[in-house]
Amino acid sequence: MSESKLAGQFFDAAIGLLQRVRDEEGERIAEAGTAVADAVAAGNRLFAFGAGHSSLPAQDVVYRAGGLALMNFLAVPGTAGVDVMPATLGSALERVDGLAGAVLDSSPATAGDVLVVISLSGRNALPVEMAVNARALGLTVIGVTSLAYARETRSRHASGTFLKDHCDIVLDSKIAVGDAELALDGIAAPFAPASTVVTSAIMQAVMAAAAGELAARGVEPPLLRSGNVDGGHEWNGRVMREYGDRIFFRH
């Protein structure tokens, strides 16, 4: 099989997943957008969390041209990227009990805020406890996960529960267990993961829904512009000043 055909098969698989999410999760994505809009309109704050590769869709909505300026990345040291050495440490930290509570207690998150917790499997201690502790603090929790893992794997948390069990709104990415869309004779392992593509699209769809909901209420969405277009820096400076008490990636 030619390399170009495999590449095309990956695009087809990713497009198929995106269409499923659009058609099957649209109502819940709109609900999540309303929750984000509610927090913005009420003067509350927005946070996104993900560990390992699940941190990528969370980071994609923070300080982003065309995105909401109020979205903050809730970082757990050692879990937010592959720059940690060794990279396997990040995976190990996802299984540490108590880490999520310590991070939340030292964060600016408080009752009325929104936290998006992204975890493909939703089975490790860190995302489960992040959701549990956030709800205990009075935050609205939006979980972005694959429900297939809850059906086909076991939780690694002592409670036996998954991220989905501790969220106000759950968005299912439809990713199959193993996160690999392709297989080929002569290649021992399945390959070509699509979770980042799909989960990033879910996050941007939620932000788009939130912007539309705010506009429908007569509230100007606090959006950032690209710094690479004329007037972008000036626009962003105004937004940063106006909403500075809810933006934490500048401090």
Side-chain angles (χ1 to χ4, degrees):
M1 181 178 293
S2 70
E3 294 86 347
S4 61
K5 189 169 183 180
L6 281 173
Q9 286 184 351
F10 174 76
F11 279 114
D12 289 343
I15 290 167
L17 285 163
L18 290 169
Q19 290 174 329
R20 279 193 64 197
V21 169
R22 179 197 62 195
D23 296 341
E24 298 173 20
E25 299 298 305
E27 184 176 333
R28 282 173 290 277
I29 287 172
E31 184 183 357
T34 297
V36 170
D38 287 344
V40 173
N44 295 115
R45 289 78 63 84
L46 309 174
F47 298 90
F49 162 76
H53 285 92
S54 289
S55 74
L56 299 177
Q59 293 180 57
D60 191 48
V61 293
V62 176
Y63 189 48
R64 178 63 189 261
L68 291 174
L70 306 190
M71 183 58 75
N72 300 278
F73 184 62
L74 186 63
V76 176
T79 70
V82 293
D83 57 334
V84 178
M85 291 295 179
T88 51
L89 175 61
S91 298
L93 289 173
E94 289 186 60
R95 305 179 191 182
V96 174
D97 294 332
L99 185 55
V103 168
L104 274 171
D105 287 346
S106 62
S107 80
T110 189
D113 295 345
V114 168
L115 172 63
V116 184
V117 179
I118 303 170
S119 173
L120 178 61
S121 72
R123 68 193 294 237
N124 289 312
L126 187 54
V128 171
E129 292 183 1
M130 189 67 75
V132 169
N133 282 276
R135 290 181 89 188
L137 289 173
L139 279 74
T140 296
V141 177
I142 300 168
V144 186
T145 188
S146 168
L147 295 183
Y149 280 83
R151 295 189 297 266
E152 301 174 30
T153 70
R154 288 186 178 183
S155 170
R156 288 188 175 126
H157 188 249
S159 67
T161 61
F162 287 77
L163 170 61
K164 72 173 184 65
D165 300 312
H166 306 285
C167 299
D168 297 286
I169 302 167
V170 177
L171 307 178
D172 182 10
S173 65
K174 315 294 180 182
I175 300 295
V177 173
D179 191 18
E181 295 301 318
L182 302 181
L184 185 68
D185 289 342
I187 299 179
F191 55 100
S195 61
T196 304
V197 172
V198 176
T199 307
S200 293
I202 290 172
M203 292 297 291
Q204 294 297 347
V206 171
M207 297 302 107
E213 177 65 23
L214 286 166
R217 301 181 192 183
V219 178
E220 179 69 26
L223 295 168
L224 295 172
R225 290 180 181 268
S226 172
N228 295 311
V229 300
D230 291 343
H233 286 297
E234 291 77 12
W235 173 282
N236 292 341
R238 177 186 61 79
V239 172
M240 295 286 190
R241 289 190 299 272
E242 185 174 347
Y243 295 94
D245 60 333
R246 293 191 268 170
I247 297 172
F248 302 104
F249 51 77
R250 300 175 68 236
H251 306 302

